[in-house]
Amino acid sequence: MGRWRIIRHGCGGNKPYVLHQPRHQAATHDGSETGFKLHGMNLATRIVIALTMMSLFIGNALADDSATSGISRCFSTSDQVRLCYQEQLIENHPSPILVFIPGWTMPASIWSKQLSFFAGKRSTIAFDPRGQGLSDAPQSGYSLERRVQDIAELLNQFPDRHFVLVGWSLGVLESLAYLRQVGPDRIDGLILVDNSIGEGTVTAGRKGKSPFFEALRKNRAQTMRAFIAAMFRSPPGSEITGSILASAMKTSLENSLRLLSYPKPRSYWNDVLYEVALPTLYLVTPKWQQQANGLIARHPNAKAKIFPHAKHALFWDDADQFNQAVEEFVAPL
């Protein structure tokens, strides 16, 4: 079929499959049925990944209440890794594109309630970082610097557009690191969701081995199921949970731990905020109330909103409030 390929529009099971010529050349397919490269894995691991990836596709197909009219696209990075994203663009629209960057090992599809809300209103991109969602899971490239480069190469697919980075959890740190490593050019604002930004007083950290790391090494699947369940106020359903688990298990264990071990001091993240002083919206659960207060007191262009009844995936638990806060923040940009 040459440069033409079959893609599915949206995440809903009733959305049609169509022939579409991609905006950008996709990475070479590896010949497997799914097209995902499972480097250096034994047979048992491949079977687990295959089953969980099946859950990822099923979860997307059954999420009809959050269906969008977006298009799934992929591009090849400078180190030849196939990365994917969900695109909903309004052509010739002056407002910046909302770029949704998920948290640790999470898929782009976790932003489905935002993509549904903003469909036809604002341009959006939901990114699957390397090792997550529909993107490839290579054995290398899990340093902060490479992950930031991946974001830069994603944004370079849209050379004439401006952006607002919407980072959740680990995506908060990667969004801030982007500004330090690449710079604020074409970034009109930041939306930072439920992670530390280095404000407030420093509490003593736990010394010794991380219990979470040890639990992952002992029984990764069970630990991840508990981790995913704790992210939500109300269980999102087996299909959604299955798709999230599929993404989490796709990244190798050691690479997933590398993502939680970026070698930066706490001050690194905070300094970036004040170096660029971009319009910033901090959307958090009460755990980060002190940091929200510090941000508002010190940052000339920052706003914050606390979600008292939500858990870590607050954009899912309180999607209406979250989406409205984002809309109000982006409207004047």
Side-chain angles (χ1 to χ4, degrees):
M1 295 177 64
R3 290 174 57 88
W4 293 85
R5 62 191 176 97
I6 298 176
I7 61 171
R8 184 178 64 199
H9 281 243
C11 297
N14 297 323
K15 297 295 181 180
Y17 284 79
V18 298
L19 287 177
H20 189 87
Q21 189 173 24
R23 179 195 307 273
H24 315 292
Q25 182 66 38
T28 302
H29 196 287
D30 69 348
S32 67
E33 184 177 353
T34 63
F36 299 111
K37 299 176 181 179
L38 305 178
H39 301 287
M41 297 181 182
N42 59 33
L43 178 60
T45 303
R46 289 171 183 264
I47 291 172
V48 170
I49 296 296
L51 290 174
T52 51
M53 286 310 303
M54 185 181 297
S55 296
L56 177 61
F57 288 119
I58 291 172
N60 282 343
L62 295 179
D64 289 321
D65 60 328
S66 300
T68 73
S69 57
I71 297 174
S72 295
R73 297 190 188 275
C74 299
F75 68 98
S76 183
T77 64
S78 56
D79 63 342
Q80 302 305 304
V81 175
R82 179 177 179 268
L83 300 183
C84 301
Y85 57 94
Q86 185 85 357
E87 171 193 296
Q88 295 181 150
L89 292 188
I90 303 175
E91 300 295 340
N92 301 315
H93 198 279
S95 66
I97 299 174
L98 295 171
V99 182
F100 292 94
I101 303 170
W104 177 66
T105 72
M106 298 292 107
S109 59
I110 203 166
W111 298 105
S112 60
K113 291 187 177 184
Q114 286 62 57
L115 302 184
S116 179
F117 177 83
F118 288 108
K121 302 174 186 176
R122 298 200 177 274
S123 295
T124 61
I125 296 168
F127 185 39
D128 273 322
R130 68 174 59 207
Q132 298 174 218
L134 300 180
S135 292
D136 278 351
Q139 285 300 299
S140 62
Y142 297 89
S143 67
L144 178 60
E145 291 74 19
R146 181 62 244 187
R147 296 268 289 194
V148 167
Q149 184 62 29
D150 289 345
I151 296 172
E153 292 180 17
L154 168 69
L155 302 190
N156 286 343
Q157 310 302 310
F158 308 90
D160 300 323
R161 301 297 295 264
H162 284 230
F163 310 95
V164 171
L165 300 182
V166 187
W168 169 51
S169 196
L170 184 66
V172 168
L173 307 185
E174 292 174 347
S175 297
L176 292 172
Y178 176 94
L179 297 175
R180 172 67 64 84
Q181 182 174 320
V182 181
D185 185 43
R186 298 198 295 141
I187 306 299
D188 291 351
L190 287 174
I191 300 176
L192 306 176
V193 184
D194 215 49
N195 199 1
S196 172
I197 52 174
E199 284 286 348
T201 58
V202 180
T203 57
R206 180 186 288 110
K207 296 182 179 180
K209 294 182 178 180
S210 163
F212 183 60
F213 283 21
E214 293 302 302
L216 284 169
R217 289 193 169 99
K218 183 176 180 181
N219 190 328
R220 187 183 183 192
Q222 178 178 311
T223 302
M224 287 308 304
R225 288 190 185 96
F227 175 81
I228 292 166
M231 295 193 314
F232 299 94
R233 180 181 60 206
S234 301
S238 59
E239 293 85 10
I240 300 299
T241 300
S243 70
I244 296 171
L245 180 62
S247 178
M249 295 294 289
K250 184 177 179 180
T251 313
S252 73
L253 173 60
E254 293 306 316
N255 282 331
S256 73
L257 298 182
R258 288 186 182 94
L259 295 176
L260 295 178
S261 307
Y262 289 154
K264 299 295 182 183
R266 189 173 186 270
S267 59
Y268 175 90
W269 318 108
N270 196 243
D271 290 346
V272 174
L273 274 174
Y274 296 97
E275 287 173 4
V276 297
L278 287 171
T280 300
L281 179 62
Y282 192 41
L283 302 177
V284 293
T285 50
K287 176 181 180 179
W288 308 113
Q289 175 79 63
Q290 182 185 27
Q291 297 207 34
N293 294 341
L295 178 68
I296 296 303
R298 298 178 56 215
H299 196 293
N301 296 312
K303 299 178 180 180
K305 182 176 178 64
I306 309 299
F307 290 72
H309 306 298
K311 290 194 174 182
H312 189 41
L314 54 87
F315 50 87
W316 182 279
D317 285 340
D318 286 330
D320 290 344
Q321 290 189 50
F322 182 92
N323 294 338
Q324 190 58 42
V326 171
E327 173 60 28
E328 292 174 359
F329 174 76
V330 175
L333 296 180

